[in-house]
Amino acid sequence: FPYITGHDRSSASSANKVVMKLLLTYLAALSAVFVDCSHHNAVFKSIHGTDHECSIYLREGTCHSADCSLRCRGLLTRYWNDTFGVPSATISRFYRPDVHDYEYYERTECCLGGVKEKVPLEDVCRRAEASTDCYHRNYGQLQADTPKFVPFTELQHQQILQDCIDIHQVPESVLVGYVKHGIELYPEAKCLLRCFLIREGHYTDAGGPDLHRMSVQCEGNYSDEEFRKKASKCIRNLQEQCIDKCELAFRISDECVNGEIALLSVFLGASNTTSNSLTVSPSNTLVLPPKVTVNTPSVLPPRPALG
């Protein structure tokens, strides 16, 4: 056997460490790709991460002198709108109420009512700070390190829809057609809806819709167990049937999650906005339901016999 010196062992050990480090880096990168793919275009932010972003944007020396950090947090996580002047219901995803506290919601609402009375709507930064403080003091424990789903804006909806139109090569005439006549009459529109839901991270073929994310997107009441049980049963019933993937996505959206969580209307809204910019006529490939001919007795008296 060849003689191996201590220097050789040290070199081999160093080489192994380098190889192992490269392998771990590769696996981490590969894992990140799979994670990103599973969420597609969906974005998740934590309170701490968002606050760090805002500290950069509002750093001392920028044009804003007032403390607007909490307003910035609300804007980036999509629960704040200056027009309304109070956080939307989706701010609750960052808090965990005490299971034994049955009055947290009422206390928070009462506090927000006081903010509306005392802080002018135009004072957006102070309004955001005071109303967010209502949640800190009344709603529950802040989950500052847990990333949560961030709802899409209307512009983002339109971009994702356009991506899906390009992916599936859907003609403009079909887009105008299903906006005018209804998705159920266009197979291409159902596949477009499926693509839209998947790219927004709201749906998978295997798991169906993510009710929590869909509810955050549509500001629905995702703590409503009765609705979720009813929707889940409806989804399971459809998944057990032999339905193609595009038809299944449409029927789940139309039949199972069409209450407070109505992402189908979001898709149609983005489609309508996009179609309004087009000048083409609806597609001639419209699949109309079959006509039903019913034989009804004549109301006229019988014709007299000849001869």
Side-chain angles (χ1 to χ4, degrees):
F1 295 100
Y3 179 71
I4 300 176
T5 66
H7 175 72
D8 292 332
R9 290 193 186 94
S10 177
S11 299
S13 177
S14 298
N16 288 337
K17 287 181 180 179
V18 171
V19 171
M20 184 60 70
K21 188 174 182 180
L22 289 173
L23 180 60
L24 290 174
T25 302
Y26 170 76
L27 291 174
L30 191 63
S31 174
V33 169
F34 282 122
V35 170
D36 289 343
C37 182
S38 66
H39 296 309
H40 297 271
N41 281 31
V43 173
F44 300 81
K45 290 180 182 287
S46 69
I47 292 296
H48 278 164
T50 305
D51 286 350
H52 176 67
E53 280 189 74
C54 290
S55 70
I56 296 173
Y57 304 144
L58 301 174
R59 186 167 288 165
E60 187 177 348
T62 58
C63 58
H64 225 292
S65 57
D67 182 11
C68 275
S69 57
L70 291 180
R71 174 178 174 270
C72 176
R73 177 200 292 178
L75 290 172
L76 295 187
T77 53
R78 308 272 192 265
Y79 66 71
W80 181 261
N81 186 316
D82 289 341
T83 303
F84 299 110
V86 290
S88 70
T90 60
I91 188 178
S92 62
R93 68 192 187 276
F94 293 108
Y95 294 87
R96 179 179 294 173
D98 190 311
V99 293
H100 302 296
D101 185 354
Y102 302 104
E103 298 178 351
Y104 68 92
Y105 182 82
E106 288 74 15
R107 288 198 313 273
T108 305
E109 287 296 304
C110 182
C111 180
L112 291 173
V115 171
K116 292 177 184 178
E117 292 178 1
K118 298 175 183 177
V119 184
L121 184 62
E122 306 80 46
D123 194 350
V124 291
C125 293
R126 195 156 66 94
R127 191 82 178 252
E129 183 177 5
S131 56
T132 303
D133 188 57
C134 287
Y135 279 86
H136 287 342
R137 291 189 289 108
N138 298 287
Y139 202 89
Q141 183 179 2
L142 178 67
Q143 306 292 294
D145 295 314
T146 307
K148 298 293 184 180
F149 171 71
V150 178
F152 292 92
T153 65
E154 291 185 12
L155 285 176
Q156 289 172 324
H157 287 316
Q158 292 170 32
Q159 181 57 58
I160 290 171
L161 174 64
Q162 187 60 56
D163 290 342
C164 290
I165 290 172
D166 295 338
I167 291 169
H168 286 285
Q169 302 181 58
V170 176
E172 293 179 347
S173 56
V174 170
L175 173 64
V176 176
Y178 79 74
V179 167
K180 182 177 181 180
H181 300 293
I183 297 176
E184 64 276 7
L185 303 177
Y186 288 84
E188 305 98 323
K190 296 173 184 178
C191 289
L192 203 58
L193 171 65
R194 172 179 171 271
C195 175
F196 180 83
L197 295 177
I198 290 174
R199 281 188 62 75
E200 291 207 349
H202 293 304
Y203 182 87
T204 63
D205 291 324
D210 188 310
L211 295 179
H212 181 83
R213 291 184 203 167
M214 292 175 75
S215 187
V216 172
Q217 180 65 60
C218 300
E219 297 188 19
N221 182 14
Y222 51 82
S223 62
D224 185 352
E225 285 299 321
E226 183 178 349
F227 173 84
R228 296 183 71 170
K229 287 179 181 178
K230 183 179 178 181
S232 297
K233 182 179 179 180
C234 174
I235 292 164
R236 284 194 302 271
N237 289 340
L238 289 176
Q239 288 175 332
E240 290 171 357
Q241 300 177 31
C242 186
I243 305 174
D244 73 70
K245 293 178 180 179
C246 297
E247 179 73 18
L248 179 62
F250 167 69
R251 289 190 59 183
I252 286 176
S253 301
D254 187 48
E255 299 173 21
C256 303
V257 288
N258 57 359
E260 286 185 89
I261 310 175
L263 207 61
L264 183 59
S265 62
V266 174
F267 170 76
L268 286 172
S271 300
N272 188 57
T273 301
T274 303
S275 68
N276 285 340
S277 63
L278 305 176
T279 57
V280 298
S281 301
S283 170
N284 292 325
T285 60
L286 172 64
V287 182
L288 294 172
K291 293 183 178 180
V292 178
T293 303
V294 179
N295 294 322
T296 56
S298 174
V299 295
L300 298 175
R303 181 180 296 179
L306 297 176

